[in-house]
Amino acid sequence: MTYDLDGLSKELLLDMYYKMMLIRRFEEKVVEMYRAGEIPGIAHGYIGEEGVAVGVCSALRRDDYILSTHRGHGHSLAKGIDPKHLMAELYGKKTGVCKGIGGSMHSTEPEVGVIFSSAIVGGNIPIAVGVALAFKMRREDRVVVSFFGDGATNTGAFHEALNLASVWKLPIVFVCENNFYAISMHVSKSTSAKEIVDRAVSYNMPGVVVDGNDVIAVYNAAAAAVNRARKGEGPTLIEARTYRWLDHGMYYLGKYRPEDEVVMWKQKCPIRTLRDRLLIKGIATEVELNSLDEKVVHEVDEAIRFARESAEPDLDFVKQFVYVR
Amino acid sequence: MTYDLDGLSKELLLDMYYKMMLIRRFEEKVVEMYRAGEIPGIAHGYIGEEGVAVGVCSALRRDDYILSTHRGHGHSLAKGIDPKHLMAELYGKKTGVCKGIGGSMHSTEPEVGVIFSSAIVGGNIPIAVGVALAFKMRREDRVVVSFFGDGATNTGAFHEALNLASVWKLPIVFVCENNFYAISMHVSKSTSAKEIVDRAVSYNMPGVVVDGNDVIAVYNAAAAAVNRARKGEGPTLIEARTYRWLDHGMYYLGKYRPEDEVVMWKQKCPIRTLRDRLLIKGIATEVELNSLDEKVVHEVDEAIRFARESAEPDLDFVKQFVYVR
Amino acid sequence: MPVRELTYAEALREALREEMLRDDRVFLMGEDIGVIGGVFKVTQGLYEEFGQERVRDTPISETAIVGAAIGAAIAGMKPVAEIMYMDFLMCAGDQVINHLPKIRYMSGGKLKVPAVIRTQYGLYRYAAAQHSQFYPAFLMNIPGMYVEVPSTPYDAKGLLKSAIRDENPDIFIECAALYRVRGPVPDEDYVIPLGQADVKREGRDVTVFALSYMVHVALSAAQKLGNEGISTEVIDPRTLNPFDKKTLVESVKKTGRLVIIEPDHKTAGVGAEVAAIVAEEAYDYLKAPIVRLAADDIPPPFAPKAYNAFLPNEEKLISSIKKLIKHSK
Amino acid sequence: MPVRELTYAEALREALREEMLRDDRVFLMGEDIGVIGGVFKVTQGLYEEFGQERVRDTPISETAIVGAAIGAAIAGMKPVAEIMYMDFLMCAGDQVINHLPKIRYMSGGKLKVPAVIRTQYGLYRYAAAQHSQFYPAFLMNIPGMYVEVPSTPYDAKGLLKSAIRDENPDIFIECAALYRVRGPVPDEDYVIPLGQADVKREGRDVTVFALSYMVHVALSAAQKLGNEGISTEVIDPRTLNPFDKKTLVESVKKTGRLVIIEPDHKTAGVGAEVAAIVAEEAYDYLKAPIVRLAADDIPPPFAPKAYNAFLPNEEKLISSIKKLIKHSK
Ligand SMILES: Cc1ncc(C[n+]2csc(CCOP(=O)(O)OP(=O)(O)O)c2C)c(N)n1
Ligand SMILES: Cc1ncc(C[n+]2csc(CCOP(=O)(O)OP(=O)(O)O)c2C)c(N)n1
Ligand SMILES: [Mg+2]
Ligand SMILES: [Mg+2]
């Protein structure tokens, strides 16, 4: 096909563009509404890292499962959660993906393959291994992705989980989003391995480094790892290097990053990069891309409206969901 | 000196022989007295692995600290705990190293550098890191050794501790006693790294494999790592390969090891190996070695007598040691 | 036909085996549970019968064991994971408190976590402070998971089967000192509903709330007190969550006296909750202060004499009951 | 001269700073406590003053943080480690229960473990089930470590200084909702002995045992009840281990009524122990059943309205006290 970029279909490329833009605009609105006092609690933005979630999730089937983190909005949207339901969750409303009980950090929507998000750093990784075990034991050809940050690679949970996944050769891909910081802690001060990806050696699994701001590179790396997992060849560790533009969460926690580092990374915006390539290669026109941009703005506005208008759960309502009875 | 073997003094070599033999005879008596119902609780024998504890501890100063495990009698004796006090502890007597409160798995004798033993697999490793931190912060040139088994390398505690020791460049040597089994679990089924020592890569520290049944090789590897640590160059991971002749603990838990594997390892007895070398190289005579053998038998008998004759603590006695008041 | 007798360990093994036969989503995982059948032999023979896929030996990775059980459960399996000693359960502390009991809830009811975590505490094993702990009150304090504490072979089998069939997460706490105790276990399939205390002996003068192993101590004491004309009711909660308040409160309303005997630490132990419930709900019926007999508030010592004294026992129970009955006269 | 007012966070910071100046064995470690001064800003400025050796930023490794604190302590240092949220304390569960409180004991008294583990629980932060937990009863149940739960800037400073100077291990539990609350803190050096409850308000009709944040709720309620002629005594335990039974029991003997208000889960919470103590030791003085107001037995929900209702509050406290006083008339 003439419209391919690196062998990818136009449809897929535009979908990746659209998803990244959706995440970007969604997160911008979250910041705005958080500041306006409409969104309670704590939340963590994904702006700047869109290439990772979108590249990885685009390489998955709908029935493959992902497990996410405190910084999970991007993963949820990339895997296909309706922005209305995600926004309603952030607003703490009954119509939210978790009925307002989970909030920003605990998205679950098995229908589209978002099985669970943990707010405990490293917490999802052992659970992801168990999900992969279930797939393997039932001889399903489904694959699991566990997302986590650079900081998470120093938790015991990471170590135990990757070891177990490897000895049991499970269909799982571990995606480390290395944005170089765990809150204020630079990866070079927290993580003794020369490169995070070197930790794959410890589990005798392939380790791959990828530019997380190049969504196509991410897609290709993920597709290879997913393929390997689906064929029963076991897990892979992917280290996707990227950067968060915002502060760790919604509060300013002080200065711990050099200005020019932030500026440098903003120049490597994953969305602009893809947009430029699509235009230069003639795969899409300005008009096409602008219409996606508008669609996204509309969808996010719609999500806000939906969230605002939805009802808040009360105590009796939430009590129903503790036990299966 | 004519009496050197691999550059080691006769004194050191005979001391290593003596210590290994002390551990051997001590452990034989423990088995005997356990079966006779004199030793309560649970205990784990070190027979066959003597080369590791003795090789490592011989490379330490008295004021260096070791941290030990559930399989700790050998470490305690190698570092210089009086067999009387150790045996009394196993008997649960007031004269024991921990006054009968700790038992087989919890030896502490800071005077000779045995700071703490944990019965939780992996449990001592983060604590050892903290001890090393104290040494470093006070600018003392003391070194810490953390002993643990192959099974322990799959715990989260191992991972977090080695990472922290490396980022803080602490004066510590991690000694993995790879006896190929964690209870019934063969290392190849539990541990995904091709070799345990490969895990050093994950922490960007040197990793060294050594024949744990060759006490001199262990000594040399430990001396190099201790020297490195003492000079402020940071931690090392040593994997010492060895084998336990007895069952995991004092009970028979079933068959999980091939007969011929056990036989093969018994032929590589670390004590016999050193004895033969000392004789062949003419460093020591049969008479000298036999007299050490006899000394050891006497000491162990003395330890039993001492333990038997000591008083048992009662509840009011043990209550005093919970808090500093 | 006399009822068949089994040991507590055999009863547990039967429960596991029957549920594995009944439902192929059920599988086992844990340290040394396969090839050697568990260090306490509870799973003996199951590896041979069901193979290494369904009886999975694991590395020493408690966090990964509990985490993987949770993951398999939310993906539709019914894992039964073993943590060798209750002491090690906190090596998986994050999974046990932040994940196991919260995932269903946090997902707004979209997920189920039908995982069972089996563990045991080692009473009278003289295994010192890191291998002798029992802290069920903590698991009771964290909502979202069920907690079973069977005291007999019959209860062990019936509760384990219920725990496996039920779709909520469970921490199933066995007692190593009971593994070889025998008791009647019917041939036919049965389950015990979760949340029903069992009146192990009826009585009029005093209620003894006995936890796990202490049920046996209480029954033996009750027998002796009976000879002296004191009629003792013995209540075994069997599950701590759900907790059967009704049986407890009704018993105390009847007898007017409550003695609690438990092998966990006294302060903030299970007995504290039991006493609090009674102080709230049967206050008007109490004829005497509530008495709690529990393990001392010190870590378990190794030395056997001190260790034995550290635990409550029959003698202390009998004398407490006698004193109590005097107090209220 | 009016007494100086500080926030709870400032009072804590002063305690840390003064103890670091006083004793060079004292040092701090934890996630993000250095360069940015902690996510709650408690350690702000200390990195600049004392440098990276004594204010150590760590990786996200709770087990290594608590373990290293223990190790440094047994080797003669006085570490103060921070665990960012109490929820994450169980990521170090093994170190917290199997090591921290047991090492001195298991060593037969040869070692001391003068480590302080500071943590906080996030009341009213709407941070959902994994960032809102408070489970002090568990730490009370495990003997061998002290547990502080300061409610005011004055107590926060005085208790933290005591915890650091004392040679036993401590879990020091702060409340994020209190960090900005102001209160008087004297200029001069002072410490508060561990194990002394504080009667925050004296009264005759009812004793309110209030835990941590709930002390403020109780004081406000007491004020209002006072206007209606009900005289309320408010007791703040300040430390849960050692636990000051005496102050509690004497107060209940005086008032004959007890209401407990606590922000942890009701079942097997701290209030259970408090109720049990009173049921054992002041039974003859009680004029009415004991009442426990606590967080519901469900994981903390995210949605603010539900979350607020999940916690006990002033309104519930006032109406409980009124009902109680009626009951006993
Ligand atoms: C076990 C645990 N410790 C600490 C925290 C607090 N915390 C939340 S996010 C975070 C940093 C995570 O860094 P990283 O894994 O690199 O992910 P990022 O935020 O950069 O995406 C920390 C320390 C937590 N949630 N869980
Ligand atoms: C955290 C934890 N899990 C399980 C156990 C039970 N256990 C005691 S020793 C042991 C095997 C340890 O194997 P390894 O580390 O290889 O040491 P070895 O016994 O071979 O010397 C196990 C599983 C324990 N003590 N601690
Ligand atoms: Mg990061
Ligand atoms: Mg081993």
Side-chain angles (χ1 to χ4, degrees):
Chain A
M1 284 203 333
T2 40
Y3 280 123
D4 282 12
L5 184 64
D6 295 335
L8 307 181
S9 72
K10 176 173 178 180
E11 193 192 340
L12 175 60
L13 290 166
L14 288 191
D15 187 60
M16 294 204 288
Y17 177 82
Y18 157 74
K19 289 251 177 70
M20 289 200 290
M21 194 53 101
L22 175 64
I23 296 170
R24 176 72 52 96
R25 295 290 172 252
F26 185 94
E27 295 293 58
E28 286 168 355
K29 263 292 183 239
V30 169
V31 171
E32 186 187 329
M33 293 307 156
Y34 194 89
R35 297 217 172 112
E38 292 194 20
I39 294 176
I42 54 185
H44 308 85
Y46 200 68
I47 292 178
E49 312 189 21
E50 297 90 343
V52 184
V54 172
V56 171
C57 292
S58 299
L60 293 174
R61 294 198 319 228
R62 187 180 164 98
D63 70 343
D64 291 331
Y65 275 161
I66 67 164
L67 288 94
S68 168
T69 66
H70 60 285
R71 195 178 301 290
H73 310 161
H75 309 138
S76 283
L77 294 172
K79 193 71 176 63
I81 283 186
D82 185 328
K84 288 203 299 294
H85 299 151
L86 189 64
M87 193 64 86
E89 188 60 36
L90 269 63
Y91 270 70
K93 299 299 181 71
K94 273 183 168 176
T95 53
V97 270
C98 298
K99 304 199 175 67
I101 300 172
S104 162
M105 304 190 284
H106 302 293
S107 204
T108 290
E109 186 57 285
E111 287 283 291
V112 301
V114 179
I115 179 87
F116 173 63
S117 312
S118 179
I120 303 296
V121 171
N124 87 44
I125 319 179
I127 297 174
V129 168
V131 175
L133 175 61
F135 289 171
K136 178 165 175 153
M137 287 182 74
R138 288 197 303 256
R139 291 173 177 58
E140 297 174 9
D141 69 343
R142 295 157 73 189
V143 170
V144 180
V145 167
S146 167
F147 286 103
F148 49 84
D150 45 292
T153 68
N154 299 314
T155 65
F158 164 88
H159 179 68
E160 295 190 4
L162 271 74
N163 183 60
L164 193 63
S166 178
V167 291
W168 285 351
K169 241 187 170 191
L170 299 180
I172 184 165
V173 182
F174 298 103
V175 178
C176 176
E177 305 183 304
N178 180 4
N179 61 11
F180 298 91
Y181 290 87
I183 307 187
S184 68
M185 189 71 166
H186 193 268
V187 64
S188 63
K189 288 193 188 160
S190 67
T191 309
S192 53
K194 276 197 202 120
E195 314 274 351
I196 287 176
V197 73
D198 292 350
R199 294 200 157 157
V201 173
S202 212
Y203 315 109
N204 192 22
M205 65 173 76
V208 182
V209 179
V210 68
D211 175 356
N213 284 21
D214 177 348
V215 71
I216 293 168
V218 174
Y219 172 85
N220 287 331
V226 167
N227 190 35
R228 200 181 118 79
R230 213 180 298 288
K231 285 193 306 190
E233 291 169 12
T236 300
L237 173 63
I238 294 177
E239 177 191 345
R241 297 192 180 150
T242 184
Y243 204 76
R244 65 170 152 75
W245 292 10
L246 302 172
D247 211 323
H248 169 72
M250 296 290 142
Y251 297 106
Y252 176 66
L253 286 173
K255 191 173 150 51
Y256 51 85
R257 307 193 294 192
E259 284 312 337
D260 54 350
E261 185 180 279
V262 182
V263 170
M264 187 267 279
W265 277 97
K266 284 189 178 172
Q267 281 158 5
K268 296 204 275 181
C269 171
I271 303 180
R272 169 139 309 275
T273 303
L274 181 62
R275 187 182 176 100
D276 289 351
R277 286 172 77 182
L278 292 174
L279 292 174
I280 287 166
K281 297 256 177 174
I283 294 169
T285 63
E286 289 268 3
V287 174
E288 281 175 299
L289 297 176
N290 290 350
S291 91
L292 287 177
D293 293 354
E294 277 159 36
K295 182 176 169 219
V296 158
V297 170
H298 180 74
E299 274 188 89
V300 171
D301 286 343
E302 189 52 25
I304 292 288
R305 193 195 52 73
F306 178 80
R308 280 183 179 151
E309 291 175 2
S310 296
E312 208 185 331
D314 64 13
L315 187 62
D316 283 335
F317 177 82
V318 306
K319 276 186 181 169
Q320 303 170 68
F321 303 104
V322 181
Y323 300 99
V324 184
R325 260 164 190 167
Chain B
M1 286 212 319
T2 40
Y3 280 124
D4 283 12
L5 183 63
D6 295 335
L8 307 181
S9 72
K10 176 172 177 179
E11 193 191 341
L12 175 61
L13 290 166
L14 288 191
D15 187 60
M16 294 203 288
Y17 177 83
Y18 158 76
K19 289 250 178 69
M20 288 200 291
M21 193 54 101
L22 175 63
I23 295 170
R24 176 71 51 95
R25 295 288 172 254
F26 185 93
E27 294 293 59
E28 288 168 354
K29 264 289 184 241
V30 169
V31 172
E32 185 186 330
M33 293 307 155
Y34 194 88
R35 297 218 171 113
E38 292 195 19
I39 293 176
I42 53 185
H44 308 84
Y46 200 66
I47 292 179
E49 312 189 20
E50 297 90 345
V52 184
V54 172
V56 170
C57 292
S58 299
L60 294 173
R61 294 196 322 227
R62 186 180 165 98
D63 70 343
D64 292 331
Y65 276 161
I66 66 164
L67 288 93
S68 168
T69 66
H70 60 285
R71 195 178 302 290
H73 311 161
H75 309 139
S76 284
L77 294 172
K79 194 69 175 65
I81 284 186
D82 185 330
K84 287 205 299 295
H85 299 150
L86 189 64
M87 193 64 86
E89 187 60 34
L90 270 63
Y91 270 70
K93 298 299 181 71
K94 273 183 166 174
T95 54
V97 269
C98 298
K99 303 197 176 69
I101 299 172
S104 162
M105 304 191 285
H106 303 293
S107 203
T108 291
E109 186 57 284
E111 287 283 291
V112 300
V114 179
I115 179 86
F116 173 62
S117 311
S118 179
I120 303 294
V121 171
N124 87 44
I125 318 178
I127 298 174
V129 168
V131 175
L133 175 62
F135 289 171
K136 178 164 175 154
M137 287 183 74
R138 288 197 303 255
R139 292 176 175 58
E140 296 175 9
D141 69 344
R142 294 158 72 187
V143 171
V144 180
V145 168
S146 167
F147 286 103
F148 49 84
D150 45 292
T153 68
N154 300 314
T155 64
F158 164 88
H159 179 68
E160 295 191 4
L162 269 73
N163 182 60
L164 193 64
S166 179
V167 292
W168 285 352
K169 243 189 170 188
L170 300 180
I172 183 164
V173 181
F174 298 103
V175 178
C176 176
E177 304 182 305
N178 180 3
N179 61 10
F180 299 91
Y181 291 88
I183 307 188
S184 67
M185 190 70 166
H186 193 267
V187 64
S188 63
K189 288 193 189 159
S190 67
T191 309
S192 53
K194 276 200 204 120
E195 314 273 349
I196 287 176
V197 73
D198 292 349
R199 294 200 157 157
V201 172
S202 210
Y203 316 108
N204 193 22
M205 65 173 75
V208 182
V209 180
V210 68
D211 176 355
N213 284 22
D214 177 349
V215 70
I216 294 168
V218 173
Y219 173 86
N220 286 332
V226 166
N227 189 34
R228 199 181 120 81
R230 212 178 301 284
K231 285 194 305 192
E233 291 168 11
T236 301
L237 173 63
I238 294 178
E239 176 191 344
R241 298 196 180 147
T242 185
Y243 204 75
R244 64 170 153 75
W245 292 11
L246 303 172
D247 211 323
H248 170 71
M250 296 290 143
Y251 298 106
Y252 175 67
L253 287 173
K255 191 172 150 54
Y256 51 84
R257 306 192 296 191
E259 283 311 337
D260 55 348
E261 184 180 280
V262 182
V263 170
M264 187 266 280
W265 277 96
K266 284 190 177 170
Q267 280 157 6
K268 298 203 275 182
C269 170
I271 302 179
R272 168 139 310 271
T273 303
L274 180 63
R275 188 182 175 100
D276 288 351
R277 287 171 76 180
L278 293 174
L279 292 173
I280 287 166
K281 298 256 178 176
I283 294 168
T285 63
E286 289 268 3
V287 175
E288 281 175 298
L289 296 177
N290 290 348
S291 92
L292 287 177
D293 294 353
E294 277 159 37
K295 182 174 169 223
V296 158
V297 170
H298 181 74
E299 275 189 89
V300 171
D301 286 342
E302 189 51 25
I304 292 288
R305 194 194 53 74
F306 178 81
R308 281 183 178 151
E309 290 175 2
S310 296
E312 208 185 333
D314 64 13
L315 188 62
D316 283 336
F317 178 82
V318 306
K319 275 186 181 168
Q320 301 169 69
F321 304 103
V322 182
Y323 300 100
V324 184
R325 260 166 190 165
Chain C
M1 205 184 73
V3 183
R4 182 173 74 121
E5 294 233 323
L6 293 183
T7 66
Y8 186 90
E10 286 162 351
L12 291 165
R13 191 181 310 138
E14 269 199 4
L16 293 171
R17 182 170 176 273
E18 289 173 16
E19 294 307 303
M20 288 178 82
L21 290 171
R22 185 174 176 274
D23 184 345
D24 60 17
R25 294 171 304 170
V26 178
F27 72 97
L28 315 183
M29 55 191 286
E31 293 159 20
D32 305 291
I33 64 162
V35 175
I36 61 165
V39 299
F40 297 103
K41 300 294 162 196
V42 173
T43 53
Q44 194 151 45
L46 300 179
Y47 179 84
E48 289 73 11
E49 183 169 357
F50 295 98
Q52 61 179 20
E53 277 274 301
R54 289 185 73 195
V55 183
R56 308 184 80 94
D57 274 323
T58 66
I60 306 174
S61 304
E62 280 76 9
T63 290
I65 293 169
V66 178
I70 294 170
I74 62 178
M77 301 296 285
K78 293 207 134 202
V80 182
E82 177 177 310
I83 297 295
M84 198 186 287
Y85 281 71
M86 189 164 183
D87 310 71
F88 318 153
L89 191 63
M90 284 303 112
C91 295
D94 167 50
Q95 292 295 334
V96 170
I97 78 150
N98 293 325
H99 293 91
L100 188 71
K102 295 190 170 61
I103 287 183
R104 171 175 177 71
Y105 178 73
M106 295 193 306
S107 74
K110 283 181 180 164
L111 300 178
K112 290 174 189 170
V113 192
V116 177
I117 313 298
R118 288 179 47 240
T119 191
Q120 65 74 36
Y121 68 102
L123 216 59
Y124 302 115
R125 301 191 75 243
Y126 312 116
Q130 294 180 331
H131 279 68
S132 310
Q133 290 173 94
F134 180 47
Y135 45 87
F138 180 41
L139 308 175
M140 213 178 161
N141 181 237
I142 302 294
M145 57 194 164
Y146 289 166
V147 182
E148 294 86 14
V149 283
S151 69
T152 65
Y154 179 85
D155 290 348
K157 182 171 176 187
L159 290 172
L160 184 51
K161 288 173 72 103
S162 279
I164 294 171
R165 291 191 199 173
D166 176 86
E167 306 222 74
N168 291 291
D170 301 83
I171 308 269
F172 191 92
I173 313 175
E174 303 162 13
C175 174
L178 293 174
Y179 280 137
R180 294 182 188 186
V181 168
R182 300 193 153 272
V185 178
D187 256 323
E188 58 281 5
D189 185 45
Y190 69 97
V191 294
I192 297 174
L194 305 178
Q196 287 188 6
D198 188 34
V199 180
K200 284 272 189 297
R201 178 187 171 118
E202 291 197 19
R204 291 175 320 273
D205 299 330
V206 58
T207 299
V208 175
F209 178 94
L211 188 60
S212 179
Y213 185 90
M214 293 299 153
V215 169
H216 300 273
V217 173
L219 287 173
S220 168
Q223 180 76 39
K224 290 179 190 154
L225 289 163
N227 300 337
E228 302 184 35
I230 297 173
S231 166
T232 305
E233 179 142 314
V234 177
I235 292 185
D236 177 351
R238 299 201 295 200
T239 60
L240 295 177
N241 182 8
F243 186 79
D244 181 356
K245 275 191 188 187
K246 197 162 157 274
T247 301
L248 166 70
V249 170
E250 275 171 13
S251 174
V252 175
K253 284 186 177 170
K254 177 174 74 175
T255 64
R257 298 182 188 89
L258 175 63
V259 179
I260 295 156
I261 183 162
E262 58 187 327
D264 53 332
H265 296 297
K266 179 173 181 179
T267 296
V270 169
E273 177 59 31
V274 171
I277 289 171
V278 170
E280 285 171 340
E281 304 195 6
Y283 154 79
D284 290 326
Y285 298 82
L286 278 177
K287 300 179 202 156
I290 295 167
V291 175
R292 284 184 287 166
L293 301 175
D296 259 300
D297 287 324
I298 62 170
F302 166 60
K305 188 163 70 178
Y307 178 80
N308 293 342
F310 147 88
L311 287 172
N313 59 29
E314 192 179 317
E315 204 184 304
K316 291 180 205 167
L317 178 58
I318 290 176
S319 82
S320 293
I321 291 175
K322 288 187 182 167
K323 242 168 64 188
L324 196 66
I325 288 188
K326 245 185 227 151
H327 173 285
S328 41
K329 267 174 194 160
Chain D
M1 204 186 70
V3 184
R4 185 174 72 122
E5 293 232 323
L6 292 183
T7 67
Y8 187 91
E10 286 162 353
L12 291 165
R13 191 181 311 137
E14 269 198 6
L16 293 171
R17 182 171 179 273
E18 288 172 18
E19 294 308 301
M20 289 178 83
L21 289 170
R22 185 176 177 273
D23 184 344
D24 59 18
R25 294 172 304 171
V26 179
F27 72 97
L28 316 183
M29 57 191 286
E31 293 159 21
D32 305 290
I33 64 161
V35 174
I36 61 165
V39 298
F40 297 103
K41 301 293 160 200
V42 172
T43 53
Q44 194 152 46
L46 300 179
Y47 179 85
E48 289 74 10
E49 182 169 356
F50 295 99
Q52 62 178 19
E53 276 275 299
R54 289 185 73 195
V55 183
R56 308 183 80 94
D57 274 322
T58 67
I60 306 174
S61 304
E62 280 77 10
T63 290
I65 293 169
V66 177
I70 294 170
I74 63 177
M77 302 296 285
K78 293 207 134 202
V80 182
E82 178 177 308
I83 297 294
M84 198 186 284
Y85 281 71
M86 188 163 182
D87 310 69
F88 318 152
L89 192 63
M90 284 303 113
C91 295
D94 167 51
Q95 292 295 333
V96 170
I97 79 151
N98 292 325
H99 293 92
L100 188 72
K102 295 190 168 63
I103 287 182
R104 171 173 177 72
Y105 178 73
M106 295 192 306
S107 75
K110 284 181 178 165
L111 301 178
K112 290 175 191 170
V113 191
V116 177
I117 313 297
R118 288 180 47 241
T119 191
Q120 64 76 36
Y121 69 102
L123 216 59
Y124 301 114
R125 301 193 74 244
Y126 312 116
Q130 293 181 331
H131 279 68
S132 309
Q133 291 172 94
F134 180 46
Y135 45 88
F138 180 41
L139 307 175
M140 214 178 161
N141 181 237
I142 303 292
M145 57 194 166
Y146 289 167
V147 182
E148 294 86 14
V149 282
S151 69
T152 65
Y154 179 85
D155 290 348
K157 182 171 176 186
L159 291 171
L160 184 52
K161 288 172 73 103
S162 279
I164 294 171
R165 291 190 199 173
D166 176 85
E167 305 220 76
N168 291 292
D170 301 82
I171 308 270
F172 191 93
I173 313 174
E174 304 162 11
C175 175
L178 293 173
Y179 281 137
R180 293 178 188 190
V181 168
R182 299 194 155 273
V185 177
D187 256 324
E188 58 281 3
D189 185 44
Y190 70 96
V191 293
I192 296 174
L194 305 178
Q196 287 189 6
D198 188 34
V199 180
K200 284 273 187 300
R201 177 186 171 119
E202 291 196 19
R204 291 175 319 274
D205 300 329
V206 58
T207 299
V208 175
F209 178 94
L211 188 61
S212 181
Y213 186 90
M214 293 298 153
V215 169
H216 300 274
V217 173
L219 287 172
S220 169
Q223 180 76 39
K224 290 179 190 155
L225 288 163
N227 299 338
E228 303 184 34
I230 297 174
S231 168
T232 305
E233 178 141 312
V234 177
I235 293 186
D236 176 351
R238 299 203 293 201
T239 60
L240 296 177
N241 183 7
F243 186 79
D244 181 355
K245 276 191 188 188
K246 197 161 158 276
T247 302
L248 167 70
V249 170
E250 276 171 12
S251 174
V252 174
K253 285 185 177 172
K254 178 174 71 176
T255 64
R257 297 182 190 89
L258 175 63
V259 179
I260 296 155
I261 183 164
E262 57 187 327
D264 53 332
H265 295 297
K266 179 173 180 181
T267 295
V270 169
E273 178 59 31
V274 171
I277 289 171
V278 170
E280 284 171 340
E281 304 195 7
Y283 154 79
D284 290 325
Y285 298 82
L286 277 178
K287 298 180 205 158
I290 295 166
V291 174
R292 286 184 286 165
L293 301 174
D296 258 301
D297 287 325
I298 62 170
F302 166 59
K305 188 164 72 179
Y307 178 80
N308 293 342
F310 147 88
L311 288 171
N313 59 27
E314 191 179 317
E315 205 183 302
K316 292 180 203 167
L317 178 58
I318 290 177
S319 82
S320 293
I321 291 176
K322 287 186 182 167
K323 240 167 66 188
L324 195 66
I325 287 188
K326 246 184 227 150
H327 173 286
S328 40
K329 264 173 195 160

